[in-house]
Amino acid sequence: MITKPKGCHDLIGLEAKKWRYVDSVIDNLMEKYNYNYMRTPVFESSELFHRGVGEGTDIVTKETYDFKDRGDRNVTLRPEGTAGIVRSYIENKMYGEPGPVKVYYNGTMYRYERPQSGRDREFTQFGVEVLGSNDPLVDAEVISIPVLLYKILGLKGIKVKINSLGDKESRENYREALVKYFTPQIDKLCEDCHDRLEKNPLRILDCKVDKDSDILKNAPKTLDFLNEESKERFEKVKEYLDELEIDYEVDDRLVRGLDYYNHTVFEIEASVEGFGSNNVLGGGGRYNGLVETLDGPATCGMGFATGLGRLIQALNLEEVQLPIHDDIELFVMYVSETEKKYAASLVQYLRANGYRVDTEYTERGLKAQFKQADRLKAKYLIILNDEDLAKDEIKIKNNKTKEEDTIGVDYLLYYLDEHLTEDDYDIPEDECQCGHKHEHGEEGCSCHEHHCHCEDEGE
Ligand code: AMP
């Protein structure tokens, strides 16, 4: 048997439905924020990531899927989304448009990591990039996107951490302070940190091996090295976050893994029991300077990415009920060939009218079809027989109460309209269709997509 590659997953069954639902919420949310969907190639020239993500990052030194194609070109499967978007921004001269350019992506990424819970070799990220504005409001807006997404989906246990690395000058001063601090004690840190000291000492603070060491804990803090301008900018970001009513904590050890960040960096953690150590749902930051690094004009940038696998894991752990269907509304049953032909057109007609319908395809007898309908969790069964059809009638049975009616075919849509809509979702009265629980009378539900029953009733 051929099995899937290590660290990859097949998306099937209920998980696939959840994933598609999350995708649809993302598309909807991005429309509200006025971000355009953008797709770039899954592989790019290796140089893009080596230059864009940074030679000194773990992602590039250890984790990229690099290979030569049949034309002897060095290509790399994308390990993250920003470099490709920036490459496309430059190549398509998007800087010529009145800015800022606000885009989002949702696609697979590839990193050759040791597979474990929350860490795969193929994984999916949803992310946004805003190019062409240095306004601190953009930083706050970008942070607000995953926060609102998680809220709409009904995820409660999240923690937003922010920090500032400052501008080029502040970052350089901080870098020097770190070199001075780490050099005399570098032998006490891991081999990789020796390398990092030279290439990018900020990355030592991100070290997975030494993360609990006192040396890291007592290291100089970014915020002590911000110049006045960077300090003011960070204050502005925090003010806007307060305006947006986003809870956050300042974590002055947060530096993020990639070379290109400056000013604002942030991460969102899942504080959900049972999540394990890979509990960062997503993160991002400002990358003024990256566009120039990739040969474009001086352009400011800000973005974030969230892993959909970890997000769905968090939703599962919190047992959030997503409004997805794991049932069908109707199962159409038949035995004879004339009934089958009728079934075929009836199924088509019902689907065209918006119902979730299935039928029999394997010549099972009626008894087995009843079983199949149960397996598919059909709410209603339509049982065709030639005698009824001769009178333009059909039998329809509620699969839960077992009540059965014989009705005129012309009446079917009215019948379904009356019987199906009221129990379409089994949502308790005090729960919005997005799974958001709230008290009757509580001011609005956070979810605008699936307005709650309370709002409907004007309570
Ligand atoms: P990063 O691009 O490393 O900042 O990661 C952003 C988010 O992508 C993380 O918080 C995770 O949710 C997700 N992510 C990153 N690497 C992996 C991986 N190897 N497997 C699964 N998800 C990942």
Side-chain angles (χ1 to χ4, degrees):
M1 185 177 64
I2 300 169
T3 57
K4 60 186 178 318
K6 243 179 150 183
C8 297
H9 296 280
D10 298 318
L11 188 58
I12 43 181
L14 194 57
E15 287 301 290
K17 286 191 180 190
K18 288 182 188 172
W19 205 289
R20 299 297 292 163
Y21 171 71
V22 170
D23 283 345
S24 72
V25 173
I26 288 170
D27 288 337
N28 234 310
L29 184 67
M30 287 293 81
E31 203 172 32
K32 307 289 186 297
Y33 271 85
N34 194 30
Y35 283 58
N36 288 324
Y37 177 74
M38 184 161 168
R39 191 166 64 195
T40 59
V42 169
F43 65 91
E44 298 260 8
S45 85
S46 300
E47 188 192 353
L48 173 66
F49 300 113
H50 286 249
R51 259 212 275 162
V53 179
E55 296 285 3
T57 58
D58 278 3
I59 291 181
V60 166
T61 51
K62 295 193 209 150
E63 296 168 6
T64 44
Y65 275 87
D66 295 313
F67 56 96
K68 273 196 194 294
D69 71 6
R70 290 171 195 269
D72 211 27
R73 299 173 197 92
N74 291 311
V75 291
T76 297
L77 295 183
R78 63 182 179 201
E80 55 93 61
T82 306
I85 300 272
V86 169
R87 193 261 317 128
S88 173
Y89 174 82
I90 299 167
E91 194 171 339
N92 292 298
K93 298 194 174 52
M94 286 156 81
Y95 45 79
E97 298 166 18
V101 168
K102 305 201 297 178
V103 293
Y104 77 102
Y105 58 88
N106 183 353
T108 48
M109 307 292 157
Y110 301 84
R111 295 185 195 168
Y112 194 83
E113 304 200 68
R114 196 166 57 79
Q116 51 187 282
S117 167
R119 205 170 279 287
D120 302 308
R121 291 185 172 170
E122 180 184 69
F123 59 98
T124 304
Q125 281 186 343
F126 151 58
V128 310
E129 311 294 349
V130 181
L131 288 142
S133 169
N134 194 32
D135 194 324
L137 178 57
V138 168
D139 302 32
E141 176 175 300
V142 166
I143 295 172
S144 79
I145 291 171
V147 172
L148 187 53
L149 171 68
Y150 303 152
K151 192 170 173 188
I152 288 174
L153 290 171
L155 190 66
K156 295 194 185 72
I158 63 159
K159 201 190 269 177
V160 181
K161 291 180 168 179
I162 64 166
N163 193 18
S164 175
L165 305 173
D167 60 9
K168 217 171 163 188
E169 180 190 81
S170 311
R171 199 181 145 130
E172 194 43 46
N173 289 340
Y174 181 55
R175 184 186 193 281
E176 278 171 24
L178 286 182
V179 173
K180 214 161 148 192
Y181 171 81
F182 282 125
T183 302
Q185 24 191 4
I186 195 67
D187 287 340
K188 297 188 190 122
L189 299 181
C190 76
E191 273 304 307
D192 285 344
C193 283
H194 292 203
D195 242 23
R196 291 176 184 134
L197 182 65
E198 237 176 70
K199 287 187 183 146
N200 184 356
L202 267 75
R203 296 272 302 107
I204 298 179
L205 300 172
D206 251 359
C207 178
K208 288 168 200 150
V209 180
D210 293 315
K211 67 179 191 307
D212 296 322
S213 129
D214 281 342
I215 301 179
L216 261 61
K217 281 185 189 152
N218 299 326
K221 311 275 188 254
T222 52
L223 297 182
D224 295 331
F225 294 84
L226 298 189
N227 57 22
E228 276 314 305
E229 226 180 310
S230 301
K231 254 186 220 159
E232 268 172 38
R233 196 181 183 289
F234 191 43
E235 284 310 308
K236 273 276 165 221
V237 173
K238 290 194 284 182
E239 277 170 31
Y240 289 131
L241 284 174
D242 293 337
E243 286 298 324
L244 300 183
E245 297 184 1
I246 289 174
D247 289 332
Y248 59 85
E249 63 183 58
V250 174
D251 176 355
D252 54 15
R253 286 184 55 195
L254 181 69
V255 290
R256 305 273 301 142
L258 313 184
D259 276 358
Y260 52 56
Y261 287 118
N262 43 51
H263 287 297
T264 312
V265 284
F266 75 101
E267 275 185 357
I268 304 186
E269 275 179 16
S271 42
V272 184
E273 216 173 297
F275 206 88
S277 57
N278 294 318
N279 67 340
V280 178
L281 292 176
R286 184 156 277 285
Y287 50 84
N288 300 347
L290 177 63
V291 181
E292 288 116 295
T293 306
L294 295 172
D295 307 326
T299 310
C300 298
M302 170 82 197
F304 94 94
T306 183
L308 295 196
R310 288 191 202 175
L311 172 55
I312 293 196
Q313 191 188 351
L315 291 168
N316 285 342
L317 283 167
E318 278 196 4
E319 293 178 13
V320 174
Q321 292 287 320
L322 299 177
I324 53 173
H325 304 285
D326 69 339
D327 59 5
I328 56 169
E329 290 166 310
L330 292 143
F331 188 78
V332 178
M333 300 161 65
Y334 61 87
V335 179
S336 74
E337 182 57 25
T338 44
E339 291 161 7
K340 181 174 183 180
K341 282 199 173 131
Y342 195 91
S345 69
L346 181 62
V347 163
Q348 182 76 359
Y349 171 73
L350 289 169
R351 287 173 178 162
N353 276 282
Y355 291 99
R356 289 176 282 115
V357 188
D358 213 336
T359 189
E360 171 58 27
Y361 307 97
T362 56
E363 297 182 357
R364 274 178 278 230
L366 267 190
K367 203 172 158 200
Q369 288 186 43
F370 276 111
K371 273 196 186 147
Q372 174 66 355
D374 287 345
R375 235 177 270 133
L376 297 174
K377 298 186 190 157
K379 288 177 194 269
Y380 279 84
L381 314 176
I382 292 179
I383 308 146
L384 300 178
N385 70 60
D386 288 324
E387 267 169 49
D388 289 339
L389 293 180
K391 292 183 273 173
D392 282 331
E393 286 180 346
I394 51 176
K395 283 199 176 60
I396 182 159
K397 186 172 183 176
N398 182 317
N399 202 21
K400 199 165 168 187
T401 63
K402 307 296 174 199
E403 278 165 43
E404 189 177 288
D405 288 311
T406 303
I407 59 168
V409 173
D410 290 348
Y411 180 64
L412 179 59
L413 287 188
Y414 298 104
Y415 184 94
L416 295 178
D417 198 35
E418 228 171 69
H419 288 77
L420 262 171
T421 44
E422 68 217 42
D423 65 354
D424 198 11
Y425 290 105
D426 288 333
I427 306 282
E429 275 292 286
D430 65 341
E431 194 175 307
C432 173
Q433 290 185 13
C434 68
H436 173 89
K437 280 206 173 105
H438 61 102
E439 300 297 322
H440 281 283
E442 183 190 309
E443 195 190 322
C445 166
S446 61
C447 170
H448 304 294
E449 293 308 313
H450 311 97
H451 48 240
C452 60
H453 298 315
C454 296
E455 276 184 341
D456 273 355
E457 289 158 13
E459 281 183 53

mmCIF file of all heavy atoms in Angstrom, residues 348-376:
data_model
loop_
_atom_site.group_PDB
_atom_site.id
_atom_site.type_symbol
_atom_site.label_atom_id
_atom_site.label_comp_id
_atom_site.label_asym_id
_atom_site.label_seq_id
_atom_site.Cartn_x
_atom_site.Cartn_y
_atom_site.Cartn_z
ATOM 1 N N GLN A 348 -32.975 15.881 -9.013
ATOM 2 C CA GLN A 348 -32.431 17.054 -9.710
ATOM 3 C C GLN A 348 -33.264 18.299 -9.382
ATOM 4 O O GLN A 348 -32.724 19.365 -9.080
ATOM 5 C CB GLN A 348 -32.452 16.774 -11.223
ATOM 6 C CG GLN A 348 -31.891 17.865 -12.083
ATOM 7 C CD GLN A 348 -30.369 17.894 -12.031
ATOM 8 O OE1 GLN A 348 -29.760 17.098 -11.319
ATOM 9 N NE2 GLN A 348 -29.782 18.816 -12.738
ATOM 10 N N TYR A 349 -34.595 18.120 -9.431
ATOM 11 C CA TYR A 349 -35.525 19.224 -9.174
ATOM 12 C C TYR A 349 -35.371 19.753 -7.745
ATOM 13 O O TYR A 349 -35.316 20.955 -7.504
ATOM 14 C CB TYR A 349 -36.941 18.686 -9.424
ATOM 15 C CG TYR A 349 -38.080 19.575 -9.024
ATOM 16 C CD1 TYR A 349 -38.387 20.721 -9.757
ATOM 17 C CD2 TYR A 349 -38.886 19.250 -7.927
ATOM 18 C CE1 TYR A 349 -39.453 21.524 -9.395
ATOM 19 C CE2 TYR A 349 -39.961 20.039 -7.554
ATOM 20 C CZ TYR A 349 -40.229 21.186 -8.289
ATOM 21 O OH TYR A 349 -41.295 21.981 -7.930
ATOM 22 N N LEU A 350 -35.263 18.837 -6.802
ATOM 23 C CA LEU A 350 -35.145 19.248 -5.395
ATOM 24 C C LEU A 350 -33.817 19.962 -5.143
ATOM 25 O O LEU A 350 -33.749 20.958 -4.435
ATOM 26 C CB LEU A 350 -35.274 18.029 -4.471
ATOM 27 C CG LEU A 350 -36.683 17.436 -4.398
ATOM 28 C CD1 LEU A 350 -36.661 16.088 -3.690
ATOM 29 C CD2 LEU A 350 -37.639 18.398 -3.695
ATOM 30 N N ARG A 351 -32.748 19.429 -5.738
ATOM 31 C CA ARG A 351 -31.428 20.075 -5.568
ATOM 32 C C ARG A 351 -31.451 21.477 -6.165
ATOM 33 O O ARG A 351 -30.923 22.422 -5.566
ATOM 34 C CB ARG A 351 -30.342 19.240 -6.236
ATOM 35 C CG ARG A 351 -30.033 17.970 -5.455
ATOM 36 C CD ARG A 351 -29.082 17.086 -6.236
ATOM 37 N NE ARG A 351 -28.736 15.888 -5.482
ATOM 38 C CZ ARG A 351 -28.218 14.794 -6.022
ATOM 39 N NH1 ARG A 351 -28.001 14.743 -7.342
ATOM 40 N NH2 ARG A 351 -27.920 13.755 -5.284
ATOM 41 N N ALA A 352 -32.065 21.591 -7.346
ATOM 42 C CA ALA A 352 -32.132 22.911 -7.999
ATOM 43 C C ALA A 352 -32.931 23.885 -7.142
ATOM 44 O O ALA A 352 -32.740 25.096 -7.222
ATOM 45 C CB ALA A 352 -32.750 22.784 -9.388
ATOM 46 N N ASN A 353 -33.822 23.348 -6.308
ATOM 47 C CA ASN A 353 -34.610 24.202 -5.431
ATOM 48 C C ASN A 353 -33.976 24.382 -4.055
ATOM 49 O O ASN A 353 -34.605 24.859 -3.124
ATOM 50 C CB ASN A 353 -36.038 23.657 -5.291
ATOM 51 C CG ASN A 353 -36.895 24.125 -6.454
ATOM 52 O OD1 ASN A 353 -37.344 25.265 -6.501
ATOM 53 N ND2 ASN A 353 -37.064 23.241 -7.435
ATOM 54 N N GLY A 354 -32.738 23.938 -3.936
ATOM 55 C CA GLY A 354 -31.969 24.275 -2.730
ATOM 56 C C GLY A 354 -31.956 23.238 -1.624
ATOM 57 O O GLY A 354 -31.487 23.523 -0.523
ATOM 58 N N TYR A 355 -32.482 22.049 -1.881
ATOM 59 C CA TYR A 355 -32.483 21.027 -0.832
ATOM 60 C C TYR A 355 -31.277 20.109 -0.938
ATOM 61 O O TYR A 355 -30.734 19.906 -2.022
ATOM 62 C CB TYR A 355 -33.785 20.210 -0.897
ATOM 63 C CG TYR A 355 -34.975 21.046 -0.494
ATOM 64 C CD1 TYR A 355 -35.801 21.613 -1.457
ATOM 65 C CD2 TYR A 355 -35.234 21.311 0.845
ATOM 66 C CE1 TYR A 355 -36.868 22.420 -1.096
ATOM 67 C CE2 TYR A 355 -36.302 22.119 1.221
ATOM 68 C CZ TYR A 355 -37.112 22.665 0.257
ATOM 69 O OH TYR A 355 -38.158 23.480 0.624
ATOM 70 N N ARG A 356 -30.861 19.591 0.235
ATOM 71 C CA ARG A 356 -29.741 18.647 0.281
ATOM 72 C C ARG A 356 -30.323 17.240 0.149
ATOM 73 O O ARG A 356 -30.995 16.750 1.056
ATOM 74 C CB ARG A 356 -28.968 18.798 1.603
ATOM 75 C CG ARG A 356 -28.177 20.099 1.654
ATOM 76 C CD ARG A 356 -27.505 20.307 2.983
ATOM 77 N NE ARG A 356 -28.443 20.757 3.984
ATOM 78 C CZ ARG A 356 -28.790 20.087 5.053
ATOM 79 N NH1 ARG A 356 -28.260 18.920 5.315
ATOM 80 N NH2 ARG A 356 -29.667 20.583 5.891
ATOM 81 N N VAL A 357 -30.065 16.632 -0.990
ATOM 82 C CA VAL A 357 -30.792 15.421 -1.358
ATOM 83 C C VAL A 357 -29.845 14.329 -1.835
ATOM 84 O O VAL A 357 -28.844 14.612 -2.486
ATOM 85 C CB VAL A 357 -31.771 15.732 -2.532
ATOM 86 C CG1 VAL A 357 -32.681 14.552 -2.806
ATOM 87 C CG2 VAL A 357 -32.597 16.966 -2.233
ATOM 88 N N ASP A 358 -30.181 13.101 -1.503
ATOM 89 C CA ASP A 358 -29.429 11.986 -2.061
ATOM 90 C C ASP A 358 -30.403 10.870 -2.440
ATOM 91 O O ASP A 358 -31.583 10.924 -2.089
ATOM 92 C CB ASP A 358 -28.375 11.480 -1.054
ATOM 93 C CG ASP A 358 -27.124 10.975 -1.773
ATOM 94 O OD1 ASP A 358 -27.245 10.602 -2.957
ATOM 95 O OD2 ASP A 358 -26.059 10.950 -1.158
ATOM 96 N N THR A 359 -29.876 9.882 -3.151
ATOM 97 C CA THR A 359 -30.743 8.780 -3.584
ATOM 98 C C THR A 359 -29.929 7.487 -3.639
ATOM 99 O O THR A 359 -28.780 7.457 -3.198
ATOM 100 C CB THR A 359 -31.403 9.121 -4.941
ATOM 101 O OG1 THR A 359 -32.399 8.146 -5.237
ATOM 102 C CG2 THR A 359 -30.385 9.152 -6.080
ATOM 103 N N GLU A 360 -30.514 6.459 -4.196
ATOM 104 C CA GLU A 360 -29.899 5.131 -4.229
ATOM 105 C C GLU A 360 -29.142 4.927 -5.556
ATOM 106 O O GLU A 360 -29.650 5.284 -6.615
ATOM 107 C CB GLU A 360 -31.030 4.082 -4.087
ATOM 108 C CG GLU A 360 -30.626 2.668 -4.318
ATOM 109 C CD GLU A 360 -29.520 2.219 -3.376
ATOM 110 O OE1 GLU A 360 -29.400 2.748 -2.262
ATOM 111 O OE2 GLU A 360 -28.749 1.336 -3.787
ATOM 112 N N TYR A 361 -27.923 4.382 -5.455
ATOM 113 C CA TYR A 361 -27.138 4.153 -6.683
ATOM 114 C C TYR A 361 -26.617 2.727 -6.811
ATOM 115 O O TYR A 361 -25.852 2.428 -7.712
ATOM 116 C CB TYR A 361 -25.910 5.085 -6.728
ATOM 117 C CG TYR A 361 -26.192 6.560 -6.556
ATOM 118 C CD1 TYR A 361 -26.045 7.166 -5.313
ATOM 119 C CD2 TYR A 361 -26.591 7.349 -7.631
ATOM 120 C CE1 TYR A 361 -26.295 8.522 -5.146
ATOM 121 C CE2 TYR A 361 -26.837 8.710 -7.471
ATOM 122 C CZ TYR A 361 -26.685 9.286 -6.223
ATOM 123 O OH TYR A 361 -26.926 10.619 -6.062
ATOM 124 N N THR A 362 -26.947 1.845 -5.873
ATOM 125 C CA THR A 362 -26.305 0.523 -5.909
ATOM 126 C C THR A 362 -27.301 -0.635 -5.934
ATOM 127 O O THR A 362 -27.012 -1.734 -5.467
ATOM 128 C CB THR A 362 -25.351 0.333 -4.700
ATOM 129 O OG1 THR A 362 -26.106 0.542 -3.515
ATOM 130 C CG2 THR A 362 -24.180 1.269 -4.752
ATOM 131 N N GLU A 363 -28.510 -0.327 -6.430
ATOM 132 C CA GLU A 363 -29.542 -1.360 -6.603
ATOM 133 C C GLU A 363 -29.874 -2.093 -5.323
ATOM 134 O O GLU A 363 -30.149 -3.293 -5.328
ATOM 135 C CB GLU A 363 -29.113 -2.342 -7.699
ATOM 136 C CG GLU A 363 -28.990 -1.663 -9.052
ATOM 137 C CD GLU A 363 -28.626 -2.618 -10.170
ATOM 138 O OE1 GLU A 363 -28.406 -3.808 -9.880
ATOM 139 O OE2 GLU A 363 -28.573 -2.171 -11.314
ATOM 140 N N ARG A 364 -29.838 -1.404 -4.201
ATOM 141 C CA ARG A 364 -30.230 -2.033 -2.940
ATOM 142 C C ARG A 364 -31.743 -2.162 -2.906
ATOM 143 O O ARG A 364 -32.462 -1.368 -3.515
ATOM 144 C CB ARG A 364 -29.799 -1.157 -1.760
ATOM 145 C CG ARG A 364 -28.392 -1.390 -1.302
ATOM 146 C CD ARG A 364 -28.038 -0.451 -0.185
ATOM 147 N NE ARG A 364 -27.659 0.830 -0.733
ATOM 148 C CZ ARG A 364 -26.543 1.492 -0.405
ATOM 149 N NH1 ARG A 364 -25.704 0.992 0.483
ATOM 150 N NH2 ARG A 364 -26.274 2.652 -0.946
ATOM 151 N N GLY A 365 -32.235 -3.131 -2.158
ATOM 152 C CA GLY A 365 -33.664 -3.272 -1.932
ATOM 153 C C GLY A 365 -34.128 -2.173 -0.982
ATOM 154 O O GLY A 365 -33.316 -1.466 -0.382
ATOM 155 N N LEU A 366 -35.463 -2.076 -0.836
ATOM 156 C CA LEU A 366 -36.010 -0.989 -0.008
ATOM 157 C C LEU A 366 -35.486 -1.005 1.426
ATOM 158 O O LEU A 366 -35.149 0.026 1.995
ATOM 159 C CB LEU A 366 -37.535 -1.089 0.015
ATOM 160 C CG LEU A 366 -38.282 -0.264 -1.040
ATOM 161 C CD1 LEU A 366 -39.771 -0.257 -0.740
ATOM 162 C CD2 LEU A 366 -37.758 1.157 -1.119
ATOM 163 N N LYS A 367 -35.381 -2.235 1.995
ATOM 164 C CA LYS A 367 -34.951 -2.351 3.396
ATOM 165 C C LYS A 367 -33.547 -1.745 3.570
ATOM 166 O O LYS A 367 -33.284 -0.982 4.502
ATOM 167 C CB LYS A 367 -34.942 -3.831 3.783
ATOM 168 C CG LYS A 367 -35.055 -4.038 5.267
ATOM 169 C CD LYS A 367 -35.245 -5.499 5.594
ATOM 170 C CE LYS A 367 -34.813 -5.736 7.023
ATOM 171 N NZ LYS A 367 -34.517 -7.126 7.286
ATOM 172 N N ALA A 368 -32.679 -2.104 2.628
ATOM 173 C CA ALA A 368 -31.300 -1.593 2.703
ATOM 174 C C ALA A 368 -31.261 -0.094 2.428
ATOM 175 O O ALA A 368 -30.411 0.626 2.953
ATOM 176 C CB ALA A 368 -30.416 -2.337 1.709
ATOM 177 N N GLN A 369 -32.216 0.379 1.615
ATOM 178 C CA GLN A 369 -32.260 1.825 1.346
ATOM 179 C C GLN A 369 -32.657 2.599 2.604
ATOM 180 O O GLN A 369 -32.172 3.696 2.853
ATOM 181 C CB GLN A 369 -33.243 2.128 0.212
ATOM 182 C CG GLN A 369 -32.737 1.692 -1.159
ATOM 183 C CD GLN A 369 -33.663 2.128 -2.297
ATOM 184 O OE1 GLN A 369 -34.162 3.250 -2.318
ATOM 185 N NE2 GLN A 369 -33.897 1.228 -3.230
ATOM 186 N N PHE A 370 -33.568 2.006 3.400
ATOM 187 C CA PHE A 370 -33.931 2.655 4.680
ATOM 188 C C PHE A 370 -32.683 2.790 5.556
ATOM 189 O O PHE A 370 -32.450 3.814 6.184
ATOM 190 C CB PHE A 370 -34.991 1.832 5.434
ATOM 191 C CG PHE A 370 -36.398 2.133 4.975
ATOM 192 C CD1 PHE A 370 -37.137 1.187 4.278
ATOM 193 C CD2 PHE A 370 -36.980 3.363 5.260
ATOM 194 C CE1 PHE A 370 -38.428 1.462 3.854
ATOM 195 C CE2 PHE A 370 -38.276 3.649 4.847
ATOM 196 C CZ PHE A 370 -38.996 2.705 4.140
ATOM 197 N N LYS A 371 -31.878 1.718 5.570
ATOM 198 C CA LYS A 371 -30.648 1.738 6.376
ATOM 199 C C LYS A 371 -29.687 2.807 5.877
ATOM 200 O O LYS A 371 -29.073 3.533 6.646
ATOM 201 C CB LYS A 371 -29.946 0.367 6.302
ATOM 202 C CG LYS A 371 -30.448 -0.587 7.334
ATOM 203 C CD LYS A 371 -29.481 -1.748 7.478
ATOM 204 C CE LYS A 371 -30.075 -2.783 8.413
ATOM 205 N NZ LYS A 371 -29.702 -4.124 8.061
ATOM 206 N N GLN A 372 -29.559 2.879 4.547
ATOM 207 C CA GLN A 372 -28.665 3.869 3.950
ATOM 208 C C GLN A 372 -29.141 5.286 4.307
ATOM 209 O O GLN A 372 -28.329 6.165 4.635
ATOM 210 C CB GLN A 372 -28.608 3.670 2.423
ATOM 211 C CG GLN A 372 -27.828 4.716 1.665
ATOM 212 C CD GLN A 372 -26.328 4.703 1.970
ATOM 213 O OE1 GLN A 372 -25.858 3.961 2.838
ATOM 214 N NE2 GLN A 372 -25.591 5.542 1.280
ATOM 215 N N ALA A 373 -30.468 5.487 4.255
ATOM 216 C CA ALA A 373 -31.023 6.810 4.593
ATOM 217 C C ALA A 373 -30.669 7.167 6.045
ATOM 218 O O ALA A 373 -30.337 8.316 6.351
ATOM 219 C CB ALA A 373 -32.528 6.802 4.397
ATOM 220 N N ASP A 374 -30.719 6.164 6.929
ATOM 221 C CA ASP A 374 -30.351 6.413 8.340
ATOM 222 C C ASP A 374 -28.883 6.780 8.447
ATOM 223 O O ASP A 374 -28.501 7.670 9.188
ATOM 224 C CB ASP A 374 -30.615 5.168 9.199
ATOM 225 C CG ASP A 374 -32.107 4.969 9.429
ATOM 226 O OD1 ASP A 374 -32.867 5.927 9.173
ATOM 227 O OD2 ASP A 374 -32.494 3.854 9.850
ATOM 228 N N ARG A 375 -28.053 6.031 7.693
ATOM 229 C CA ARG A 375 -26.612 6.296 7.721
ATOM 230 C C ARG A 375 -26.315 7.736 7.285
ATOM 231 O O ARG A 375 -25.441 8.397 7.815
ATOM 232 C CB ARG A 375 -25.908 5.320 6.767
ATOM 233 C CG ARG A 375 -24.817 4.531 7.446
ATOM 234 C CD ARG A 375 -24.213 3.530 6.484
ATOM 235 N NE ARG A 375 -24.908 2.244 6.540
ATOM 236 C CZ ARG A 375 -25.325 1.542 5.486
ATOM 237 N NH1 ARG A 375 -25.104 1.978 4.259
ATOM 238 N NH2 ARG A 375 -25.936 0.403 5.643
ATOM 239 N N LEU A 376 -27.078 8.202 6.301
ATOM 240 C CA LEU A 376 -26.862 9.569 5.793
ATOM 241 C C LEU A 376 -27.602 10.610 6.640
ATOM 242 O O LEU A 376 -27.582 11.790 6.332
ATOM 243 C CB LEU A 376 -27.329 9.668 4.330
ATOM 244 C CG LEU A 376 -26.588 8.787 3.324
ATOM 245 C CD1 LEU A 376 -27.243 8.883 1.945
ATOM 246 C CD2 LEU A 376 -25.127 9.190 3.220
#
